[in-house]
Amino acid sequence: MFCLFGAFPISAQQAKPNSISTQNTQLVDSQKVALDKKDSTNTQSKTNPNQIDSEISYTANDSIVFFGNGTGLLYGKSDITYKKINLKADYVRVKMDSSMIFAKGRLDSLGVLQGNPEFSEGENEPYSAKELTYNLKTKKGFIRQAVTQQGEAYILSDKTKKTENDELCLSDGKYTTCDDHEHPHFYLSLSNAKVKPGSYIATGPAHMVLLDIPLPLYIPFGYFPFNSKYSSGIETPNLETDNTRGYGLTNGGYYFAISDYMDLDIRGDVYTRGTWGLNITSTYLKRYKYTGNVGISYREDVTGEPDLDNYSKVKNLNIRWSHSQNPKVNPFRTLSASVNFSTSGYNRSNINSYYSPINAENTKSSSVSFSQRFPNNPFSISGSMLINQQTRDSMISLTLPNLSISMSRIFPFKRKNAIGNERWYEKISMSYSGTLSNSINTKEYKLLHSSFSKDWRNGMQHSIPISASFNILKYITFTTSANYNERWSLSSFKKSWNWNERTKQGKEVIDTLYGFYRNYNFNLGVSANTTLYGFYTPIPAIFGDKIQKIRHVITPSIGFGYNPDFSDPFWGFWDSYVRTRQVTDAEGNTTIVVDQVHYSKYQGTMYGGPGQGKSGSINFSLGNNLEMKVKNPKDTTNVNATKIISLIDNFSVSGSYNMATDSMNWSNFGTTLRLKFGKSYSVNLSASFDPYMWGLSKSDGKTPVRINELRWNHGKFPRFLGTGTSFSYTLSNQTFKKKTSKKNENDNANLPNNVNGEDGNFKDENVNDVLQGNDKTQANKEMEKDADGYDKINIPWSLSLNYTVRYGDNTSLAAFDYKKMEYKRKLTHNIGVSGNLQLTPGWQINGTTSYDFNAKQFSYTMFNITRNLHCWTLTGSMVPFGPYKTYSFRIGVNSSMLQDLKYEKQGNRGSSQNNIVWY
């Protein structure tokens, strides 16, 4: 509705039917129009220098009122635009003769203040206020209780003056990152400050206020730069103390914003007793192609006092590189890297990880790998660099490079344009794989001084498997295979025995021969397998009519493999020497024994050589699957509905018999058992059985050894050697909800058909909606209440249990039973527990531990607690016992802009830190 008052004719755009808003209408200085009509004889009309000189676009949802004195009032979600200025408020008053605008919010019917002014100009961030007075011409204004956001921070002020150059001068201000503007949880109380939106805030004396409690933390002045783009700048260091290093400044440095795709961060640490460190990190990104980060840390850790026993000075290096490639960039080429290389003393001497649980890791691994596949080609190539470190003894294993060339399976005799049936030779397939490797195992300090020819191991290996499969008698699959392996190396070994006749002592002498050497081996094999089905229908009079049929699936397999004895002198890969040694018997008598020792010329090279001994093995296996078909009582729509229950998902037995050996022909028998319980849980068990008996060695009569005596020849079953398995299960509050939901589904299965869908599940409508016509939303609300009408308490929690058990032979000599001539068995088991508890939306508690029943002690145990304080976060962690006992406490601001505004305390065996950092 429009209300027009005044003695002068004023026109406004009429609102459309059912609308009470006006749009894009120009406010006209009505007083100026009236004066021009009254004094038309004046050749020059009088003008006000503060009058509006540009069009004002405005809207209001409630009403617009114009007065003849040049005043306009806008009610209800008003929106005014003048040049680059935009103002939104629930109440706006415009004085056109002075270009003054006043805006504020209004109380609704419940007495709640609504529609506070929101002001913006150009590209500057908008700010809100309780009241605002602004001059459109001079661009000056006065604001009460203003709120403006600059980056992640908010600036609150009780009184604010806006100048013509877009600066805000405020008093009684607050600087915070808490978005609760009425009652911020923390802030810096600013006596006086100047704000340049998008640029900076400069303040005089300020002090910290936490939960409305002034803290004795003051600063004489402050300067906070704002920038919506990446920018370089100084990083403020932290103040720390350490018992052995003294006082220190840590994590101070400079950040370089190189571009939108790459940055560089250089930070340093320095302590009063000489410890210093330099950390260089860089993150790079090319959108849709790759991303990664690189970090290099160098530390010189000094502990103790010079000229004292506890003084040490250690230099350490750490290199980190992570690189990943978007697979969509090139589906045929990949490059990835995960490098974490450090000297063995880096974690031990680095105070930041001195007692961290990561220090307990004895092994570190790093890798860089690439692969290249060729489209429409069976060949592919891949390469890698591998580093394995053992920090305990400073051993390092380096493989550089490691190249692989492979050819996928091809059918070389297959016709391109086949006519008729497939020929037998067309089923022959072959593939190829080749590996080139160069590696070394040495101490860290010896790596750079190693000899490539003497200390490094290198070589190349080729493998060519050939196979073909045929069907015999329609149901038997017959497979033949042949495998050829060849190895190249740049060295071989010659061994001899050096006997000293005077001392009656001898030792083995190894001479390394350098050159190009090759060795090879091959094997042949044939196998046959089929599948047998058996069905059994139980007698209804005995078992009832619920069990309809039992199916037994048997998958037998038998094969033969042949491998020549490549230690035979015919092949030239093995050699021998005569060894002379002195042996003393139990009575003290000494004799000289001469025997012949066989050895491989390529033992110790990169890929070694062929093994010793001829093999002609018959391999067999027998797999079993047992299932039962029963009626499904849950399916009431189909009386003939059935379901399958797995009785034994898999039970298999395997073994082999070597016809080429003169003794111990049988291998151990292996068995596997898998049982399914429901759709998501299964148990896997594996065990092995030894068919041979144990006896005492003929050489000393004390050492237990396997002898060539089969147990079944003595009326004994093959000896059970052991088995093991693990169980894991997770319980949570959702677990019981699922059971309740499942029970409700079963209870509702007998509802009328118009309630259920065709598949037996509920339709989208709630059951109560169908039966009683209740409101669905109200029904859901009622489900969230308990029996007494109170809201149900929902505390999310989870508890994971992991139990590992193994039962088998204890192979230590002390556990051998000489009466039964077999090893005693032992049970080893442990249980791991991890849990998570969320008491409230802000409280989070989690922990993990495990217990070894054999050692009767807990292993690594840790508890964490987190409290979300809206704009703060409180965290605490504790390792209560073990070699790395420690605790830590931290409370800090969540915003990354004020990440150094924190309090930290850490406790461990060697240091205690208290850090209070703020700016």
Side-chain angles (χ1 to χ4, degrees):
M1 175 180 182
F2 293 96
C3 298
L4 304 179
F5 299 91
F8 307 103
I10 302 293
S11 62
Q13 179 178 344
Q14 180 66 32
K16 295 180 180 181
N18 299 325
S19 175
I20 55 172
S21 64
T22 62
Q23 300 181 355
N24 300 329
T25 304
Q26 181 176 356
L27 286 177
V28 183
D29 192 338
S30 58
Q31 189 171 354
K32 175 180 178 298
V33 175
L35 290 174
D36 288 343
K37 289 185 176 181
K38 183 177 181 180
D39 191 3
S40 60
T41 60
N42 293 341
T43 58
Q44 183 178 1
S45 61
K46 296 180 181 181
T47 60
N48 189 334
N50 292 328
Q51 68 184 12
I52 298 173
D53 60 355
S54 182
E55 178 180 325
I56 298 179
S57 299
Y58 61 93
T59 61
N61 277 9
D62 191 350
S63 59
I64 301 175
V65 180
F66 293 138
F67 294 92
N69 59 0
T71 301
L73 303 179
L74 288 79
Y75 297 92
K77 295 184 180 180
S78 304
D79 191 338
I80 297 177
T81 301
Y82 174 75
K83 295 184 178 179
K84 295 183 179 181
I85 297 173
N86 180 259
L87 174 64
K88 298 177 182 179
D90 218 50
Y91 170 78
V92 179
R93 182 182 66 214
V94 182
K95 288 185 175 292
M96 289 169 286
D97 56 349
S98 59
S99 304
M100 294 295 294
I101 290 182
F102 174 78
K104 67 175 184 178
R106 291 195 305 165
L107 297 177
D108 59 12
S109 59
L110 299 177
V112 179
L113 188 62
Q114 299 288 346
N116 287 332
E118 293 185 5
F119 181 89
S120 64
E121 184 172 2
E123 298 180 355
N124 295 331
E125 290 288 336
Y127 54 85
S128 60
K130 293 293 180 65
E131 292 184 1
L132 180 146
T133 303
Y134 186 76
N135 191 308
L136 297 175
K137 291 290 292 183
T138 63
K139 295 185 178 181
K140 295 180 180 180
F142 183 78
I143 309 169
R144 295 295 302 272
Q145 298 182 352
V147 178
T148 178
Q149 182 177 3
Q150 300 295 322
E152 296 182 52
Y154 298 92
I155 302 171
L156 318 176
S157 65
D158 185 56
K159 301 175 183 178
T160 304
K161 291 183 179 180
K162 182 184 180 301
T163 63
E164 63 275 9
N165 54 358
D166 294 333
E167 292 181 345
L168 303 177
C169 301
L170 53 94
S171 63
D172 299 330
K174 300 175 183 178
Y175 180 84
T176 181
T177 57
C178 181
D179 57 5
D180 187 354
H181 304 154
E182 296 294 333
H183 300 285
H185 294 86
F186 82 98
Y187 59 88
L188 287 177
S189 180
L190 313 176
S191 57
N192 294 285
K194 177 183 286 188
V195 179
K196 178 70 173 177
S199 297
Y200 65 86
I201 174 175
T203 177
H207 66 278
M208 186 73 174
V209 178
L210 179 62
L211 298 177
D212 294 331
I213 302 174
L215 301 180
L217 300 175
Y218 292 88
I219 57 173
F221 61 90
Y223 180 82
F224 303 90
F226 303 131
N227 199 331
S228 59
K229 299 180 180 179
Y230 290 109
S231 62
S232 304
I234 298 175
E235 296 176 303
T236 308
N238 301 336
L239 176 62
E240 294 184 358
T241 59
D242 182 72
N243 296 338
T244 58
R245 292 169 173 81
Y247 295 98
L249 294 175
T250 62
N251 284 328
Y254 198 86
Y255 177 82
F256 296 90
I258 299 176
S259 68
D260 291 339
Y261 309 102
M262 185 178 183
D263 66 356
L264 179 65
D265 189 9
I266 301 178
R267 299 193 185 194
D269 305 335
V270 60
Y271 287 84
T272 55
R273 295 184 181 177
T275 295
W276 66 275
L278 182 65
N279 303 315
I280 302 175
T281 59
S282 177
T283 302
Y284 57 89
L285 167 69
K286 193 165 186 180
R287 186 170 296 179
Y288 309 122
K289 289 191 176 182
Y290 55 80
T291 182
N293 58 78
V294 181
I296 301 175
S297 299
Y298 178 81
R299 298 189 60 85
E300 188 172 294
D301 289 281
V302 180
T303 58
E305 297 290 343
D307 302 328
L308 295 180
D309 295 338
N310 64 345
Y311 179 79
S312 67
K313 185 176 181 180
V314 183
K315 299 178 181 179
N316 286 291
L317 176 69
N318 175 253
I319 299 175
R320 303 172 304 280
W321 179 32
S322 175
H323 179 91
S324 60
Q325 175 184 307
N326 191 325
K328 296 181 180 179
V329 175
N330 191 330
F332 303 105
R333 184 185 303 116
T334 61
L335 173 64
S336 62
S338 177
V339 176
N340 183 17
F341 173 82
S342 63
T343 53
S344 58
Y346 180 82
N347 282 341
R348 293 195 297 268
S349 60
N350 186 358
I351 189 173
N352 294 326
S353 61
Y354 201 18
Y355 294 99
S356 171
I358 196 175
N359 194 31
E361 295 179 356
N362 182 46
T363 303
K364 289 184 178 180
S365 300
S366 303
S367 64
V368 179
S369 60
F370 79 93
S371 64
Q372 174 68 59
R373 295 187 297 114
F374 303 95
N376 303 321
N377 196 305
F379 287 95
S380 64
I381 183 172
S382 62
S384 63
M385 181 274 292
L386 305 173
I387 302 178
N388 293 319
Q389 295 177 264
Q390 295 184 8
T391 57
R392 180 179 57 187
D393 53 6
S394 71
M395 285 296 296
I396 183 171
S397 176
L398 172 63
T399 301
L400 179 67
N402 186 32
L403 298 176
S404 298
I405 302 174
S406 63
M407 181 187 71
S408 58
R409 189 173 66 162
I410 61 172
F411 295 85
F413 305 110
K414 203 174 191 65
R415 293 170 294 173
K416 292 183 178 180
N417 298 315
I419 299 177
N421 296 329
E422 187 178 29
R423 312 289 173 80
W424 66 268
Y425 53 84
E426 292 184 284
K427 298 181 179 181
I428 299 176
S429 65
M430 65 174 296
S431 60
Y432 167 81
S433 63
T435 305
L436 171 66
S437 187
N438 183 50
S439 68
I440 185 174
N441 293 326
T442 185
K443 295 284 188 179
E444 286 181 5
Y445 66 91
K446 293 182 179 180
L447 179 62
L448 299 179
H449 305 284
S450 59
S451 171
F452 179 79
S453 58
K454 296 182 179 181
D455 299 325
W456 289 75
R457 296 190 310 156
N458 37 60
M460 189 169 185
Q461 178 176 250
H462 310 269
S463 178
I464 304 176
I466 303 173
S467 63
S469 295
F470 311 94
N471 288 331
I472 298 178
L473 302 177
K474 191 177 180 180
Y475 300 107
I476 300 176
T477 302
F478 186 78
T479 303
T480 61
S481 63
N483 295 279
Y484 177 81
N485 298 281
E486 182 168 318
R487 292 163 286 270
W488 298 347
S489 64
L490 299 180
S491 63
S492 67
F493 299 98
K494 178 70 176 178
K495 297 182 180 182
S496 60
W497 187 257
N498 186 7
W499 172 256
N500 191 324
E501 188 66 33
R502 183 178 61 84
T503 61
K504 304 299 182 181
Q505 299 288 334
K507 65 176 182 179
E508 187 181 63
V509 178
I510 302 177
D511 296 324
T512 303
L513 307 178
Y514 297 100
F516 177 78
Y517 300 92
R518 59 182 289 267
N519 65 81
Y520 56 87
N521 69 292
F522 58 87
N523 58 72
L524 305 173
V526 293
S527 65
N529 63 81
T530 186
T531 302
L532 304 176
Y533 297 89
F535 297 91
Y536 171 71
T537 301
I539 302 175
I542 300 176
F543 296 96
D545 60 349
K546 186 176 181 180
I547 302 176
Q548 295 192 342
K549 190 170 292 186
I550 295 177
R551 187 183 71 168
H552 185 194
V553 181
I554 305 174
T555 54
S557 175
I558 188 170
F560 174 77
Y562 174 74
N563 184 65
D565 183 8
F566 290 96
S567 64
D568 190 282
F570 171 79
W571 305 101
F573 302 143
W574 283 65
D575 205 346
S576 63
Y577 63 85
V578 177
R579 179 177 60 181
T580 304
R581 54 195 177 97
Q582 182 175 285
V583 179
T584 303
D585 58 18
E587 288 76 15
N589 301 320
T590 59
T591 57
I592 302 299
V593 178
V594 178
D595 51 11
Q596 195 171 26
V597 178
H598 292 267
Y599 68 92
S600 172
K601 297 180 181 180
Y602 305 98
Q603 182 180 3
T605 59
M606 173 59 68
Y607 296 107
Q612 185 180 20
K614 182 171 62 174
S615 173
S617 298
I618 298 176
N619 308 303
F620 61 89
S621 67
L622 183 66
N624 296 269
N625 174 269
L626 196 63
E627 293 179 334
M628 179 172 60
K629 181 188 291 187
V630 299
K631 290 184 178 181
N632 187 4
K634 294 183 180 180
D635 193 343
T636 59
T637 61
N638 186 0
V639 294
N640 296 321
T642 59
K643 66 176 181 178
I644 303 297
I645 297 178
S646 175
L647 301 178
I648 299 177
D649 189 60
N650 180 51
F651 175 69
S652 61
V653 181
S654 62
S656 65
Y657 182 85
N658 190 354
M659 299 184 299
T661 59
D662 56 358
S663 63
M664 311 289 282
N665 305 89
W666 288 97
S667 68
N668 288 345
F669 299 106
T671 61
T672 60
L673 175 65
R674 183 171 65 247
L675 302 175
K676 280 188 176 182
F677 299 96
K679 296 181 179 180
S680 59
Y681 192 76
S682 62
V683 175
N684 294 276
L685 295 172
S686 61
S688 57
F689 297 82
D690 188 357
Y692 290 98
M693 301 185 65
W694 284 76
L696 299 178
S697 173
K698 295 181 179 179
S699 60
D700 58 8
K702 298 179 180 180
T703 305
V705 293
R706 293 174 72 211
I707 59 177
N708 190 29
E709 292 287 342
L710 292 170
R711 294 178 63 89
W712 53 68
N713 292 337
H714 296 268
K716 297 181 179 181
F717 193 78
R719 176 172 171 77
F720 171 69
L721 297 180
T723 185
T725 187
S726 62
F727 305 91
S728 62
Y729 193 75
T730 300
L731 293 171
S732 68
N733 56 327
Q734 298 296 328
T735 303
F736 301 99
K737 287 184 178 180
K738 291 179 181 178
K739 292 181 179 180
T740 304
S741 176
K742 187 175 181 179
K743 181 178 181 301
N744 292 337
E745 290 180 2
N746 296 334
D747 293 342
N748 292 321
N750 297 323
L751 288 175
N753 292 333
N754 62 333
V755 178
N756 291 327
E758 295 179 358
D759 56 355
N761 296 324
F762 291 129
K763 293 183 179 180
D764 293 339
E765 294 85 5
N766 189 279
V767 176
N768 292 330
D769 300 340
V770 178
L771 298 181
Q772 302 177 8
N774 294 339
D775 179 70
K776 183 177 180 180
T777 304
Q778 183 64 28
N780 290 336
K781 289 183 179 179
E782 291 177 357
M783 293 175 64
E784 297 176 0
K785 303 289 185 179
D786 59 15
D788 298 326
Y790 295 99
D791 290 340
K792 288 186 177 180
I793 299 176
N794 184 20
I795 301 178
W797 61 272
S798 65
L799 182 66
S800 298
L801 303 175
N802 182 38
Y803 179 71
T804 303
V805 59
R806 165 129 189 111
Y807 179 73
D809 283 353
N810 183 359
T811 56
S812 63
L813 185 60
F816 190 78
D817 190 341
Y818 288 91
K819 292 182 179 181
K820 297 182 179 180
M821 297 305 295
E822 59 186 29
Y823 283 99
K824 298 178 181 179
R825 296 188 179 96
K826 70 173 183 178
L827 176 68
T828 59
H829 55 137
N830 61 72
I831 186 171
V833 182
S834 62
N836 180 65
L837 176 64
Q838 187 174 349
L839 293 175
T840 67
W843 280 101
Q844 185 92 11
I845 302 174
N846 61 74
T848 179
T849 186
S850 62
Y851 184 80
D852 191 327
F853 291 94
N854 296 90
K856 296 181 179 180
Q857 64 179 10
F858 286 92
S859 60
Y860 180 73
T861 302
M862 183 176 64
F863 298 98
N864 296 313
I865 183 170
T866 302
R867 176 67 169 99
N868 185 356
L869 300 171
H870 187 249
C871 50
W872 292 70
T873 298
L874 181 148
T875 59
S877 64
M878 178 179 60
V879 179
F881 42 79
Y884 299 100
K885 290 192 296 185
T886 183
Y887 71 90
S888 64
F889 173 83
R890 182 186 185 276
I891 181 171
V893 179
N894 295 338
S895 172
S896 60
M897 186 176 183
L898 297 178
Q899 61 182 348
D900 290 330
L901 186 59
K902 62 185 178 181
Y903 173 81
E904 289 182 339
K905 185 175 180 61
Q906 298 178 359
N908 46 50
R909 292 182 297 179
S911 65
S912 180
Q913 304 175 33
N914 292 280
N915 302 331
I916 302 177
V917 182
W918 66 295
Y919 62 91

